[in-house]
Amino acid sequence: MHHETVTIALPKWTENFLSTQDKTFLDIEQRMSLALELAKLNIEHKTGGPFAAAIFEQQTGKLISVGVNLVTSTNCSIAHAEIVAIAIAQKKLETFDLYADNTPRQLVTTTEPCAMCLGAIPWSGIRSVVCGAKDEDARQIGFDEGAKPKDWIDQLKNRNIEVTRNIKRQQAIEILRSYVNHGGKIYNPKKNG
């Protein structure tokens, strides 16, 4: 019997990039700068969409994992940056619950989470989410972010997950626009009807 497998791995270029980076990022602007640079490089290397994410120990700023959008390069619709970063962090820490050791971990994402990634956040154990561009910024260039509750931030807060928005939003928007301007594929666009 043949068993199918799916492997989602970060592109090789991320190794070189990460080897030159400081592994501790003290403030959320530094953390977002790392994610934004990953998104920019993901476009330049044509390895996926204009989105990136990283997971840090919230208090110390220690980098745990990164993720870039790999939807088009892997032909896998769930290979969003946040999902990739969460999966790698869980594998690295050998736990499905990133809060199992009572160490709060923070997800920094270049654009607010889509409906799928929003659903994954509470189950992952993440305690804090930091966002760059807004949902409407991604929708404006043509991406379908899915059906999200209008009160998604309050819903996360009710689960003790803190949300911080608009960190380096303008730079994040510029990366989204750069993707479109360089012919990036708008996969899964919003369809009428």
Side-chain angles (χ1 to χ4, degrees):
M1 181 185 278
H2 179 71
H3 295 283
E4 295 293 329
T5 60
V6 175
T7 303
I8 296 176
L10 287 172
K12 286 281 185 209
W13 63 260
T14 59
E15 291 174 22
N16 293 336
F17 173 74
L18 291 171
S19 69
T20 65
Q21 296 300 306
D22 184 4
K23 299 296 188 253
T24 302
F25 300 80
L26 298 179
D27 61 52
I28 59 176
E29 283 81 12
Q30 289 177 316
R31 297 172 195 180
M32 183 60 74
S33 290
L34 173 80
L36 291 169
E37 188 62 25
L38 283 164
K40 202 161 76 173
L41 289 169
N42 203 39
I43 296 168
E44 289 174 15
H45 288 277
K46 298 185 184 326
T47 45
F51 308 102
I55 295 177
F56 302 87
E57 282 185 4
Q58 191 168 338
Q59 262 69 45
T60 67
K62 179 183 175 191
L63 178 63
I64 305 299
S65 70
V66 299
V68 292
N69 179 286
L70 301 171
V71 171
T72 58
S73 60
T74 62
N75 291 315
C76 183
S77 64
I78 64 168
H80 287 204
E82 298 93 332
I83 301 293
V84 173
I86 288 168
I88 291 171
Q90 290 171 335
K91 186 77 170 168
K92 184 175 180 179
L93 298 175
E94 298 181 338
T95 180
F96 57 85
D97 181 357
L98 296 176
Y99 193 58
D101 61 359
N102 293 320
T103 301
R105 297 200 168 83
Q106 181 175 72
L107 172 68
V108 175
T109 180
T110 58
T111 302
E112 291 176 349
C114 70
M116 177 181 66
C117 296
L118 177 63
I121 289 168
W123 291 333
S124 70
I126 291 292
R127 306 313 301 158
S128 168
V129 180
V130 176
C131 310
K134 286 188 163 186
D135 178 283
E136 60 255 32
D137 301 327
R139 290 179 193 271
Q140 190 171 29
I141 67 162
F143 282 101
D144 181 358
E145 296 296 279
K148 285 172 39 177
K150 292 200 184 308
D151 65 342
W152 66 273
I153 294 170
D154 290 334
Q155 289 192 27
L156 287 181
K157 286 180 182 174
N158 289 340
R159 292 173 172 261
N160 297 314
I161 301 169
E162 172 190 338
V163 177
T164 306
R165 302 166 80 192
N166 301 319
I167 303 302
K168 297 186 174 259
R169 180 181 178 200
Q170 201 51 51
Q171 291 99 312
I173 291 170
E174 287 167 16
I175 290 169
L176 292 173
R177 289 182 182 150
S178 168
Y179 178 73
V180 172
N181 293 339
H182 288 92
K185 182 177 183 180
I186 304 294
Y187 55 87
N188 197 30
K190 181 148 178 73
K191 295 174 178 69
N192 295 326

